[in-house]
Amino acid sequence: MLRFLTAGESHGPGLTIIVEGIPADLPLLAEDIDRDLARRQVGFGRGGRMSIETDRVTFRGGVRLGRTIGSPIAMTLENRDFKNWEVPMSVSPVDLDDEAVRAQLEAKRITRLRPGHADYPGAVKYGLADVRNILERSSARETASRVAAGAIAKQLLRQFNVHVHSHVVEIGGVGAGESVRPALPTFEEWKDLFERVDQNDLRCHPDLYERLRSRVVEAAKGGYTLGGAVELAAYGEIPVGLGSHVHYDRRIDGLLAGAAMSVHTVKAVEVGIGTAAARETGADVQDEFINAAGEIARTSNHAGGIEGGMTNGQPVLLRAYLKPLPTMRKALRSIDLVSREPFEAHYERSDTCAVPAGGVVCEAMMAIVLAQELQRKLGGDSLGEMLRHAGRTHA
Amino acid sequence: MLRFLTAGESHGPGLTIIVEGIPADLPLLAEDIDRDLARRQVGFGRGGRMSIETDRVTFRGGVRLGRTIGSPIAMTLENRDFKNWEVPMSVSPVDLDDEAVRAQLEAKRITRLRPGHADYPGAVKYGLADVRNILERSSARETASRVAAGAIAKQLLRQFNVHVHSHVVEIGGVGAGESVRPALPTFEEWKDLFERVDQNDLRCHPDLYERLRSRVVEAAKGGYTLGGAVELAAYGEIPVGLGSHVHYDRRIDGLLAGAAMSVHTVKAVEVGIGTAAARETGADVQDEFINAAGEIARTSNHAGGIEGGMTNGQPVLLRAYLKPLPTMRKALRSIDLVSREPFEAHYERSDTCAVPAGGVVCEAMMAIVLAQELQRKLGGDSLGEMLRHAGRTHA
Amino acid sequence: MLRFLTAGESHGPGLTIIVEGIPADLPLLAEDIDRDLARRQVGFGRGGRMSIETDRVTFRGGVRLGRTIGSPIAMTLENRDFKNWEVPMSVSPVDLDDEAVRAQLEAKRITRLRPGHADYPGAVKYGLADVRNILERSSARETASRVAAGAIAKQLLRQFNVHVHSHVVEIGGVGAGESVRPALPTFEEWKDLFERVDQNDLRCHPDLYERLRSRVVEAAKGGYTLGGAVELAAYGEIPVGLGSHVHYDRRIDGLLAGAAMSVHTVKAVEVGIGTAAARETGADVQDEFINAAGEIARTSNHAGGIEGGMTNGQPVLLRAYLKPLPTMRKALRSIDLVSREPFEAHYERSDTCAVPAGGVVCEAMMAIVLAQELQRKLGGDSLGEMLRHAGRTHA
Amino acid sequence: MLRFLTAGESHGPGLTIIVEGIPADLPLLAEDIDRDLARRQVGFGRGGRMSIETDRVTFRGGVRLGRTIGSPIAMTLENRDFKNWEVPMSVSPVDLDDEAVRAQLEAKRITRLRPGHADYPGAVKYGLADVRNILERSSARETASRVAAGAIAKQLLRQFNVHVHSHVVEIGGVGAGESVRPALPTFEEWKDLFERVDQNDLRCHPDLYERLRSRVVEAAKGGYTLGGAVELAAYGEIPVGLGSHVHYDRRIDGLLAGAAMSVHTVKAVEVGIGTAAARETGADVQDEFINAAGEIARTSNHAGGIEGGMTNGQPVLLRAYLKPLPTMRKALRSIDLVSREPFEAHYERSDTCAVPAGGVVCEAMMAIVLAQELQRKLGGDSLGEMLRHAGRTHA
């Protein structure tokens, strides 16, 4: 079953990802990964650093002639900017007798705590006085690794006609409480929605675009950052019974929510109608069953495709809410970790809004959980064997 | 490190829980568990079945003379009503040639799918035609097991002056958007709040009680069910640096959210100000640092005590939103799993609102995650060793 | 996938076992478990305590009407002797003001370390001054729990015509280096061998019985204990490709050896010809392939059915070597944990040889690993689904 | 706690390793890894390929200025020979219309099964017709990854004065049953032994060297391969109580044996005196306690430093037995996977004896398990915190 580890600091040599447990014979090209890496980099309102990072993955194992071979898959993503960081981010000790070297180190040393970041708890936890040792890994750069791993999960799901996608549904409060898609989209409607979403730089429904864009422009002018919300959907032929009601740690809503909440800046996760369910009456939030030409069907999907901790065959729907980026032009009060002196909080980058990128990361996490549960259900060591177990002969 | 498995069906012989990885020499009495089991059973608006279940735990291992000995802890909870279910819930085969036996089985056989329950996905997943095989385990009865395991986690946390508690903050929409507690409660204020909360049968702030109660009474009269929301708080001496920013699956917000979302009927989880964070500007949602008499302090706790996937020493705050119970007096359209005939959905029990109980279950899950992370941080095989590692000599 | 936890002290109320991850609809009776529990209790040369423990399992969950339902399976085994231990093994605090109670506690208190037992490292690790807190759990009594869990694994494997069994091949040096079975037994020959093995109280090949028995009689007279070796075999339709070469922790030889070495008194584990392989030349230890009527076949099974960390379709063969029981009539030098005074080592029980029982425990561990790997290969939530994935319609 | 994944094929771009869970502030240089990589490459009787692989690790994350920072550690090992394999081992699809390309692929395609390798079970498991897809990963090349991960574990253990080392004790039967070291070596004697061992190309005690070397020379002349045995020792200040008796999967003998048996060609593992224990009487195999100037001490170490599944403070001793390499000059009968035609088995490389290298790999696995258990005991996120928990101020 898919498991993965990732490594790499934001200004270090690059990212490294190993994904173990993918079946053999899955078609897999670097382009399949790079497409999502590029989608993660899109985003109106993102600052300059993104352009440095045009991410391209290199396979170092587990893939041969365009197909997986059952072995662990290794991927690297180079940091093209590393040449400017070779001294302060050197893996080996540097010559501290060299004044120029010392100056470079000192220039990149950080002791001023940024509120809302890992800086303070990280420095205390790991007993490190240079906060750079923390922020290099806590940086959102890490999420590119997850997107790479998630792209492999998506490629596996796709063979079973399961698709995972997201769209931005609100930014800075704009869009909140509105509905931008059909209540029960058909497969074609989902597909169409997401094709259109991927055509704009806010990754939202075209009807929302102008209003969200104005909100971001306004914030950029005001020198502050904005958060927002994304809807995540898995649609297509969702198998009935991924996850399980039998043990608390097998419930797929818990697994999905945990995965989504682990994404940087996510502060709330809803399944289906989420918080609204808590305010409706029991009769209104359930999804009635009907007999549709002999098949069991539903008249709504308030549950977000999950009942009793299992997928019920309807699209799986989550919402993730992301707080504004904690780094910002307008300074915040903070203190110095070492001197305990107050100061105005450290300013590192200039993105106004990273919600579109956050949605792509959340997609990756969702795809990983779904792929794991699909593997648990189907077993199988090769794509062919998985398809046979699923009673399918092709995707 | 604490891990646990639970077993038992709602109308079977009882529940069984094994908790492995608790340090030796922790004082532990059945009363420590029973107290939380009783709190789970409290709840204005709960129907008749609860009274049957006055839960009392029996230790079967891992505890000697009132203290743990490092061995796995086994607990059982008897189902006193089992005598009425001995035939349909028999573990062994029954005599199908006996007409009375067949009739008892048939009387308890279920094929009518209840919307909002595990019935449909469970029956499909496990290939079982009698839905009773699913609902017996998917029942909320299972959560008593979690409360028992969680009570042990709480007992461990308490030795480090970490306390986990909850209160109901909204029911059926009433209370939404309101604040019932100080913005940054002191230890004494938290303690006082939760003492008062535990004195009423809705487990809410006294100021909310009358309004919430009226809402439940109204629903009971109307024959429908209500959901709501609970706030979960871990307070006291929260260590800095539980969880970690270094790997996605070690972030404590993900672990906590996953644990909370795995609780029956929970459909949304927020950390700190949650969805509100997505609608504020960056400058407004972060928690500024100040130097308070030489100590690093904060002026707010919007982050809910978590930054960069780690605890930051402030109280850890979550909100969980629970949908109304899916079983209800007012029927829903559904169909029969076998015949595919439409019908009005099965009616099993009469609770109007289970939000107070849900809060106690969420507390248990929160305590389990925090205890695990505390163990990861401190190591140690006995309470004494853990305390020494923490630089403490007593609780 | 099968996972399990066990709890219970040797003189406590009894043992508790929870097995999670067993597919639904597997036929399962208490007799299926009790049969192996009884086999574990067999053994010429075992002392008096065994007769107390005529083990009978009680299901408390996960089984309904003689079949599993997908839920976790809970089992208990009562300790009928507990009535004699209610004070010293009380889970709750006892009245220390009562002199009779204090005397009972003191009588069962142990501070004298027994060489070869968990006594010393356990007492140090858990910081406990009464060694009883350690030996109650480190006792071989715990292995009954494993046998119970393993019996469920065997029942699952049996549906796929995979059978796990063992026989004693040497005791106290007698039998070492001899061969008591055909080099490449047919299915019928394996079956026949193990039927005959189970008919004698040393669980060995009839041809060995008299010599092994004499050795045990001699040791009993001499007041010392004996170890020995068991061969473990999984035979029938062993699937090709359980385990994997792709990652170190997926190699089935490692998993099997780890499981076997975790059994009390086991000090060595061999796969196939084991240590002999290290002394032969490369040409002699490999198993050549031949084409047998169009099928790939082998001329030997030196590898014990495992190549590259995977099953190769031949019977899986392991040997486990068990040291003599460390408790014995003839005393050993030791010291007191508290006073540090020397003494002659504590004498607790009188078994001369526990190798036959050890073999049954090793079988259980082997069956558990094989069942887990079969589940990983086949997936499936019900027996029917697993069989379909395996291309089988019945066992 | 230390966990790791590895990836990479034998003739692919190189190996990739990610080690997660190492505390911050551990001094770590590439040389610390390369030293063990070089030790793995030593070995009288090894063929030509080794010289290609002068392994040098590159850190890509988790290490800064010569110290760990708590983040996952990524390492790569380049395959300098990859330039000769770029077509047949290409990760991307190649141009099959190009005849030269097709010829290169075909030249490296393998369908002839080698007995004793992963070839057959791997090809069946993963449903792949070109055995190269299997052997590229099942190759012993993979073990370099483990040595790299293990070198980090050793570096951590060293801070606590725990050292893991190995020596070859028999090859092709020579040395079997002999003793080459003091019965209870002092720290200085262990250190001295291993320094001398590392000075010869068979990694054995100097007294054994000439006889083992003659055996290998003889085999090389005869065109066959040889296995042998290594003794593994962890010595220094071994903490009492690593592992636990309380649950089967926490027993350190099981964990260590599983880790050792997962190493290529290992077919038997012994703890302490191992199989000999099964042939002695109970009074002879236990290690008596004595009071040595107020300290608890032992008169022997038959148990190999493990009692009740826990370390007892004595050196931890294992033996691993490795079969001869299955590839050899003298051919074996085999068949073709596709045509089912018989042939003489494929010949890939020319090492006569890989036991010295195998010992280094086993060391790595042993160090990893010990480091994990040390972390479980001590907790801690930085080296300083771990040392404090251990009551140490420096290594």
Side-chain angles (χ1 to χ4, degrees), chain D residues 54-130:
Chain D
T54 314
D55 288 324
R56 294 259 178 279
V57 93
T58 304
F59 289 122
R60 286 178 54 84
V63 184
R64 188 174 172 227
L65 306 171
R67 302 186 91 90
T68 59
I69 59 170
S71 303
I73 300 168
M75 297 179 281
T76 52
L77 273 170
E78 296 313 306
N79 172 18
R80 299 182 193 177
D81 193 33
F82 181 52
K83 55 183 178 300
N84 300 318
W85 287 82
E86 283 186 351
V87 169
M89 289 303 291
S90 169
V91 294
S92 345
V94 291
D95 181 4
L96 293 174
D97 291 338
D98 181 331
E99 205 167 310
V101 164
R102 277 215 316 282
Q104 281 192 68
L105 273 186
E106 198 51 40
K108 295 302 182 188
R109 188 159 175 266
I110 296 173
T111 58
R112 300 183 146 200
L113 301 171
R114 295 166 306 159
H117 275 285
D119 296 14
Y120 172 64
V124 171
K125 178 183 182 76
Y126 289 103
L128 298 169
D130 182 354

Side-chain angles (χ1 to χ4, degrees), chain D residues 115-382:
Chain D
H117 275 285
D119 296 14
Y120 172 64
V124 171
K125 178 183 182 76
Y126 289 103
L128 298 169
D130 182 354
V131 174
R132 175 152 309 279
N133 290 316
I134 303 305
L135 65 84
E136 283 288 336
R137 179 68 186 162
S138 67
S139 153
R141 181 72 190 132
E142 177 257 315
T143 60
S145 306
R146 307 200 205 187
V147 169
I152 297 177
K154 283 181 183 175
Q155 176 69 353
L156 178 59
L157 290 169
R158 216 170 278 138
Q159 316 304 313
F160 297 84
N161 198 22
V162 172
H163 307 269
V164 177
H165 219 110
S166 71
H167 58 135
V168 172
V169 292
E170 55 175 281
I171 289 181
V174 176
E178 295 178 38
S179 176
V180 290
R181 58 156 175 85
L184 285 176
T186 61
F187 182 82
E188 288 308 322
E189 284 169 336
W190 278 119
K191 211 161 150 267
D192 177 62
L193 167 64
F194 292 128
E195 272 167 17
R196 293 168 74 192
V197 157
D198 274 349
Q199 277 158 24
N200 71 65
D201 56 11
L202 286 171
R203 306 202 50 262
C204 66
H205 193 289
D207 292 356
L208 266 178
Y209 184 75
E210 284 310 325
R211 288 158 60 214
L212 296 187
R213 189 177 188 283
S214 300
R215 187 72 189 93
V216 177
V217 168
E218 177 188 22
K221 281 185 191 148
Y224 55 86
T225 55
L226 290 176
V230 294
E231 181 178 58
L232 299 152
Y235 66 98
E237 298 176 63
I238 307 294
V240 178
L242 302 186
S244 177
H245 67 287
V246 301
H247 210 259
Y248 84 95
D249 53 2
R250 294 181 59 189
R251 293 189 165 245
I252 202 165
D253 37 10
L255 298 173
L256 288 167
M261 191 70 94
S262 79
V263 174
H264 296 61
T265 77
V266 174
K267 298 298 279 186
V269 178
E270 295 180 319
V271 174
I273 59 170
T275 56
R279 289 156 188 165
E280 301 285 344
T281 69
D284 294 330
V285 302
Q286 314 304 339
D287 303 308
E288 296 181 298
F289 287 100
I290 54 168
N291 180 325
E295 292 303 303
I296 290 174
R298 301 298 186 104
T299 56
S300 58
N301 186 9
H302 300 131
I306 301 177
E307 288 172 306
M310 288 169 280
T311 54
N312 64 12
Q314 288 197 288
V316 181
L317 304 177
L318 268 77
R319 276 182 189 236
Y321 292 82
L322 296 85
K323 70 172 183 178
L325 291 178
T327 31
M328 68 216 76
R329 279 190 241 164
K330 189 177 149 207
L332 290 177
R333 276 186 300 163
S334 185
I335 63 172
D336 188 284
L337 178 66
V338 176
S339 69
R340 306 269 155 137
E341 292 294 319
F343 75 101
E344 307 257 282
H346 186 84
Y347 165 88
E348 179 106 328
R349 60 197 258 186
S350 55
D351 295 3
T352 298
C353 178
V355 176
V360 178
V361 182
C362 288
E363 282 175 26
M365 297 311 299
M366 187 178 191
I368 287 164
V369 171
L370 291 172
Q372 289 172 326
E373 293 305 313
L374 188 71
Q375 288 189 282
R376 202 190 292 270
K377 177 80 181 161
L378 296 180
D381 292 304
S382 63

Side-chain angles (χ1 to χ4, degrees), chain A residues 194-260:
Chain A
F194 291 127
E195 273 167 16
R196 294 167 74 193
V197 157
D198 275 349
Q199 277 157 24
N200 71 64
D201 57 11
L202 285 171
R203 306 202 51 262
C204 66
H205 193 289
D207 293 356
L208 266 179
Y209 183 75
E210 285 309 326
R211 286 158 59 213
L212 297 186
R213 188 178 189 284
S214 301
R215 186 73 189 92
V216 177
V217 168
E218 179 188 20
K221 280 184 193 151
Y224 55 87
T225 55
L226 291 176
V230 294
E231 182 179 59
L232 298 152
Y235 66 98
E237 298 177 63
I238 307 295
V240 178
L242 302 185
S244 177
H245 67 287
V246 301
H247 210 260
Y248 84 96
D249 55 2
R250 295 181 57 189
R251 295 190 163 243
I252 202 165
D253 36 10
L255 299 173
L256 288 167

Side-chain angles (χ1 to χ4, degrees), chain A residues 86-88 90 92-97 101-102 105, chain D residues 65-66:
Chain A
E86 284 185 351
V87 169
S90 170
S92 344
V94 291
D95 181 3
L96 293 174
D97 292 338
V101 163
R102 277 214 318 280
L105 273 186
Chain D
L65 306 171

Side-chain angles (χ1 to χ4, degrees), chain A residues 1 3 18 20-22 69-72 241 243-247 249-250 375-381 385 388-390, chain C residues 1 3 18 20-22 69-72 241 243-247 249-250 375-381 385 388-390:
Chain A
M1 208 176 76
R3 54 180 170 164
I18 299 181
E20 203 278 322
I22 295 296
I69 59 171
S71 303
S244 177
H245 67 287
V246 301
H247 210 260
D249 55 2
R250 295 181 57 189
Q375 288 187 284
R376 201 189 291 269
K377 177 80 184 162
L378 295 179
D381 291 304
E385 189 178 15
R388 268 196 311 284
H389 289 180
Chain C
M1 208 175 76
R3 55 179 169 164
I18 300 180
E20 202 279 320
I22 294 296
I69 59 171
S71 304
S244 177
H245 67 286
V246 302
H247 210 260
D249 54 2
R250 294 182 58 189
Q375 287 188 284
R376 202 189 291 268
K377 178 78 182 163
L378 296 179
D381 292 303
E385 189 179 14
R388 268 196 311 284
H389 289 181

Side-chain angles (χ1 to χ4, degrees), chain B residues 49-351:
Chain B
R49 179 156 157 78
M50 281 303 112
S51 52
I52 306 172
E53 298 170 9
T54 314
D55 288 324
R56 294 259 178 279
V57 92
T58 303
F59 288 123
R60 285 179 54 85
V63 184
R64 188 174 171 227
L65 306 172
R67 301 186 92 89
T68 60
I69 58 171
S71 304
I73 300 168
M75 296 180 280
T76 52
L77 273 171
E78 297 312 307
N79 172 17
R80 301 184 191 175
D81 193 33
F82 181 52
K83 56 184 178 298
N84 300 317
W85 287 83
E86 283 185 351
V87 169
M89 290 303 291
S90 169
V91 294
S92 344
V94 291
D95 181 3
L96 293 174
D97 291 338
D98 180 330
E99 204 167 310
V101 163
R102 276 215 316 283
Q104 280 192 67
L105 273 186
E106 198 50 41
K108 295 303 184 186
R109 188 159 174 266
I110 296 174
T111 58
R112 300 184 146 197
L113 302 170
R114 295 166 307 159
H117 276 284
D119 297 13
Y120 171 65
V124 171
K125 178 183 182 76
Y126 289 102
L128 298 169
D130 181 354
V131 174
R132 174 152 311 278
N133 290 315
I134 303 307
L135 65 84
E136 283 289 336
R137 180 66 186 163
S138 67
S139 153
R141 181 71 191 134
E142 177 257 314
T143 60
S145 306
R146 307 200 204 187
V147 169
I152 297 177
K154 283 182 184 175
Q155 176 69 352
L156 178 59
L157 291 170
R158 217 171 277 138
Q159 316 303 313
F160 297 84
N161 199 21
V162 172
H163 307 270
V164 178
H165 219 109
S166 70
H167 58 133
V168 173
V169 293
E170 55 175 281
I171 290 180
V174 175
E178 294 178 39
S179 176
V180 288
R181 57 157 177 86
L184 287 176
T186 61
F187 182 81
E188 288 308 321
E189 284 170 336
W190 279 118
K191 209 161 151 268
D192 177 62
L193 168 64
F194 291 128
E195 272 166 17
R196 293 167 74 192
V197 157
D198 275 349
Q199 278 158 23
N200 71 63
D201 57 11
L202 286 171
R203 305 201 51 262
C204 66
H205 193 288
D207 293 356
L208 265 179
Y209 184 75
E210 284 309 324
R211 288 157 59 212
L212 297 187
R213 189 176 188 284
S214 301
R215 185 75 188 91
V216 177
V217 168
E218 178 188 22
K221 281 185 192 150
Y224 56 86
T225 54
L226 290 176
V230 294
E231 182 179 56
L232 299 152
Y235 66 99
E237 296 177 63
I238 307 294
V240 178
L242 303 186
S244 177
H245 67 287
V246 301
H247 210 260
Y248 84 96
D249 53 2
R250 294 182 58 189
R251 293 189 165 246
I252 202 165
D253 37 10
L255 298 173
L256 288 168
M261 192 70 95
S262 80
V263 174
H264 295 62
T265 77
V266 173
K267 299 298 279 185
V269 177
E270 295 180 318
V271 174
I273 60 169
T275 55
R279 290 156 187 165
E280 301 285 344
T281 70
D284 294 330
V285 303
Q286 314 304 340
D287 303 308
E288 296 181 298
F289 286 100
I290 53 168
N291 180 324
E295 292 301 304
I296 291 175
R298 300 298 185 103
T299 57
S300 58
N301 185 10
H302 299 131
I306 302 177
E307 289 172 304
M310 288 169 279
T311 53
N312 64 13
Q314 288 197 289
V316 181
L317 304 177
L318 268 78
R319 278 185 187 232
Y321 293 82
L322 296 86
K323 69 173 184 179
L325 292 177
T327 31
M328 69 215 77
R329 278 191 240 165
K330 189 178 148 205
L332 289 178
R333 278 186 298 163
S334 185
I335 63 172
D336 187 284
L337 178 66
V338 177
S339 69
R340 306 270 156 138
E341 292 294 318
F343 74 101
E344 307 257 283
H346 186 86
Y347 166 88
E348 179 106 327
R349 60 197 257 187
S350 55
D351 294 4

